């Protein structure tokens, strides 16, 4: 059987795994069913090693090539779902209330399992492939926890690659860019405190509502006046909590505002964070209020290594044709915890077309099963090009 036919047959199986995972979504680090299915398949394929319980639900498999020693390449898929209700009415829709694979991590897991099956059967490479199935991409920094538990050293990973589906990009197409491909996403909650008092005597008490209103406006100057217009920055205040509708004659003692800041350059992230603090403290002082900042750092910028991006483009072009690979795809302001792996090892993160589907994190979204064969081919081609002895 020709290799492509073999992968075609594996893809059919992978579609059934994908739908099985889709019906039983699980959240964050708590993925008992998903990780059990993954580990069982990997053992069945005859991988040299299958390690479980890394970052609680993470699974790692090792496959050694039959052409001798070489580098060790890490391939990563995320496995977790989202706390939302599915509205697809599909036969394989989620069976769990308020849990849904709305980001396609079911498809990512199935594609990497498909690649594992093919690679363990063929082993036509020099070196080692490490397949990383991680929990908690959606807010839990599962990738960082796996790294903290020694993932990269324990398995000797030299370079790492990740893949995510992209709605709106044709099935069978790929998109990538060197450098920043996804943003850093930090969050904040600011409390402004006065003393509280009678609304008829504004001269007797600091007013945190007026301070907060000025602060929301002042924060807009970060993206519009402070940073380079060619360096993307988003500052969104998404939360403002002040006073009570049944106490309209009361100046509240404290108010809260919150939101998110997105940046794509590490130095801009740092500078914008410092500017944010300056604006909060000086605006608070201007209105004689006290500021308390709860800064919640999110995932860092996802930065593709230039040479590894060339390698990813080469693998994708071999299987899809050059015309179906966009090597200069725009950076998005979303964020992704594969960034932690790319901080530690050279590698690249690529988008795979999900066709004309609902958007990621939408209740009508479903991973496109037609993409699975292309994803498995990408992974196996990448291994054969990177570990060619
Ligand atoms: Ni995702």
């Amino acid at each position: 059987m020709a290799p492509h036919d073999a992968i075609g047959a594996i893809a059919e199986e992978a579609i059934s795994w994908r739908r099985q995972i889709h019906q039983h979504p699980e959240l964050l680090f708590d993925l008992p069913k998903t990780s059990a299915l993954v580990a069982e398949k990997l053992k069945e394929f005859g991988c040299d090693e299958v390690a479980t319980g890394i970052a609680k639900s993470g699974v790692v498999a090792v496959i050694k090539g039959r052409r001798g020693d070489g580098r060790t390449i890490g391939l990563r898929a995320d496995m977790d779902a989202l706390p939302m209700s599915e509205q697809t009415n599909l036969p394989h829709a989620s069976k769990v209330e308020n849990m849904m694979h709305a980001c396609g991590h079911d498809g990512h897991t199935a594609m990497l399992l498909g690649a594992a099956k093919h690679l363990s059967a063929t082993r036509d490479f020099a070196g080692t492939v490490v397949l990383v199935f991680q929990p908690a991409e959606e807010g839990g920094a599962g990738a960082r926890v796996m790294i903290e538990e020694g993932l990269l050293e324990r398995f000797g990973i030299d370079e790492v690659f990740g893949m995510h589906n992209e709605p709106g990009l044709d099935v069978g197409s790929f998109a990538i860019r060197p450098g920043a491909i996804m943003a850093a996403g930090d969050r904040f909650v600011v409390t402004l405190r006065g003393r509280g008092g009678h609304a008829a005597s504004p001269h007797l008490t600091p007013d945190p509502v007026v301070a907060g209103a000025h602060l929301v406006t002042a924060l807009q100057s970060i993206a519009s006046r402070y940073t380079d217009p060619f360096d993307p920055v988003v500052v969104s205040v998404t939360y403002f909590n002040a006073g009570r509708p049944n106490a309209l004659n009361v100046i509240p003692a404290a108010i809260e505002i919150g939101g998110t800041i997105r940046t794509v350059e590490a130095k801009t992230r740092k500078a914008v964070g410092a500017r944010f603090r300056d604006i909060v403290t000086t605006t608070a002082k201007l209105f004689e209020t006290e500021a308390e900042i709860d800064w919640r750092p999110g995932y860092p910028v996802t930065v593709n290594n230039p040479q590894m991006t060339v390698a990813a483009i080469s693998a994708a072009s071999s299987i899809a044709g050059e015309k179906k690979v966009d090597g200069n795809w725009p950076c998005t302001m979303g964020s992704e915890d594969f960034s932690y792996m790319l901080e530690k090892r050279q590698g690249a993160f690529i988008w795979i077309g999900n066709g004309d589907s609902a958007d990621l994190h939408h209740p009508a979204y479903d991973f496109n099963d037609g993409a699975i064969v292309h994803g498995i081919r990408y992974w196996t081609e990448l291994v054969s090009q990177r570990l060619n002895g």
Side-chain angles (χ1 to χ4, degrees), residues 109-361:
T109 300
M111 291 190 291
L112 194 57
L113 278 178
K117 178 161 188 176
H118 185 72
L119 291 168
S120 58
T122 54
R123 296 175 184 261
D124 190 16
F125 54 88
T128 305
V129 178
V130 176
L131 304 117
V132 179
F133 296 85
Q134 77 151 78
E137 194 287 321
E138 300 287 359
R144 190 185 66 202
V145 178
M146 288 188 92
I147 292 167
E148 285 166 356
E149 293 187 13
L151 170 76
L152 300 171
E153 297 78 16
R154 176 174 168 188
F155 297 96
I157 295 170
D158 297 313
E159 50 192 61
V160 283
F161 292 85
M163 175 158 57
H164 203 292
N165 76 96
E166 175 76 331
L169 183 66
D170 291 346
V171 170
S173 293
F174 292 84
I176 191 168
R177 69 178 293 108
I181 188 163
M182 292 189 85
D186 299 315
R187 288 168 299 156
F188 61 86
V189 174
V190 173
T191 307
L192 295 176
R193 284 182 222 285
R195 286 191 302 276
H198 202 297
S201 307
H203 57 298
L204 299 179
T205 181
D207 188 346
V209 177
V210 174
H214 275 265
L215 180 56
V216 172
T217 307
L219 289 174
Q220 301 313 306
S221 71
I222 296 175
S224 66
R225 303 288 88 183
Y226 180 67
T227 57
D228 185 331
F230 288 96
D231 181 7
V233 174
V234 172
V235 178
S236 287
V237 176
T238 53
Y239 165 65
F240 195 129
N241 185 15
R244 301 171 69 88
N246 60 357
L248 298 178
N249 55 358
V250 175
I251 294 173
I255 66 116
E256 274 187 343
I257 70 168
T260 179
I261 295 182
R262 307 282 167 132
T263 50
V264 297
E265 295 289 340
K267 67 177 192 322
T268 308
R269 185 186 189 194
K270 211 173 157 198
V272 163
R275 181 71 176 174
F276 169 83
R277 281 180 181 78
D278 284 351
I279 289 175
V280 172
T281 51
T282 53
T283 306
K285 196 166 174 230
L286 184 63
F287 294 94
E288 299 172 313
T289 55
E290 297 287 331
E292 185 186 310
I293 299 171
D294 174 7
W295 182 257
R296 303 172 185 177
Y299 299 159
V301 185
T302 305
V303 182
N304 280 341
N305 171 283
Q307 283 82 39
M308 296 300 108
T309 305
V310 170
I313 291 171
S314 168
S317 300
S318 298
I319 57 128
E322 274 177 32
K323 283 186 185 153
K324 290 189 174 173
V325 182
D326 186 334
N328 195 27
W329 191 253
C331 176
T332 74
M333 298 310 278
S335 63
E336 159 66 54
D337 80 349
F338 188 63
S339 54
Y340 291 107
M341 297 199 183
L342 291 177
E343 281 187 337
K344 300 284 184 192
R345 293 292 185 273
Q346 57 178 4
F349 185 75
I350 197 165
W351 297 107
I352 179 169
N354 202 53
D356 184 21
S357 74
D359 221 348
L360 300 173
H361 297 207

